[in-house]
Amino acid sequence: MSGLIIRRPPNRLAKLIQAPGGPTMAQALAEADERLKAIGEAGREELLRLLASIHTLGKALGPSPSEGQIDAVYGLSDEVLSIAAVAGSPDFGPAALSLCELLDGLKARGIWNATAVQVHLDGLQLLADPSVAHSPDQTQAVVEGLRRVVLRALR
């Protein structure tokens, strides 16, 4: 009978911290934080570019968009979902996920609801507007509203 062998890959950070003269935990975390800030700045710029592209493509969808148009908006929304937290804007993740769920559900059912899609586009634009200050409660209310729109549109 053979036994289960569990192999764990070496943890580079743990080795560096334990090595004589290596960085302390506080130094490693501070360096990681600085790197995340640098990524976050570039990510925020990319996030705003993606949101502008979603809005532009979304406006062009019209009453009966092609599958390619829907897929393009879905793909951009998925990218927003992927980078939102790293970009320091985690509020966009749930809103982008809601748009993805809506588009996926509409496509799977072979129906189109331009109003529900427009509500999502407007919600994303509202969240992205730097001139509007959002409290966490207000942001949560927008996201919850978008989720309700998805549920209603996909009935």
Side-chain angles (χ1 to χ4, degrees):
M1 188 163 135
S2 65
L4 177 66
I5 298 174
I6 298 175
R7 295 189 181 156
R8 295 179 190 232
N11 183 321
R12 186 172 166 255
L13 178 58
K15 283 184 180 181
L16 287 173
I17 290 171
Q18 293 171 358
T24 65
M25 179 67 80
Q27 289 170 328
L29 290 173
E31 288 175 18
D33 190 46
E34 287 301 314
R35 289 186 185 123
L36 284 175
K37 284 181 186 175
I39 292 170
E41 291 171 15
R44 278 187 288 282
E45 291 173 13
E46 179 65 9
L47 188 62
L48 293 176
R49 185 195 68 74
L50 288 169
L51 290 168
S53 295
I54 288 172
H55 195 70
T56 300
L57 287 176
K59 290 285 189 190
L61 290 174
S64 56
S66 71
E67 190 172 319
Q69 288 174 304
I70 296 170
D71 289 345
V73 173
Y74 182 96
L76 291 172
S77 187
D78 185 49
E79 285 186 57
V80 168
L81 178 59
S82 297
I83 68 166
V86 175
S89 303
D91 301 333
F92 290 109
L97 177 60
S98 183
L99 177 56
C100 287
E101 289 173 345
L102 175 65
L103 294 173
D104 194 43
L106 292 173
K107 190 174 166 184
R109 288 166 176 74
I111 59 174
W112 183 245
N113 187 329
T115 304
V117 173
Q118 188 59 51
V119 167
H120 276 75
L121 297 174
D122 292 343
L124 282 167
Q125 189 173 23
L126 175 68
L127 291 174
D129 188 347
S131 68
V132 179
H134 305 100
S135 72
D137 289 341
Q138 291 169 327
T139 299
Q140 187 63 29
V142 170
V143 171
E144 287 300 320
L146 294 176
R147 287 185 184 136
R148 284 193 298 268
V149 169
V150 171
L151 292 174
R152 189 168 286 187
L154 299 180
R155 277 193 214 174

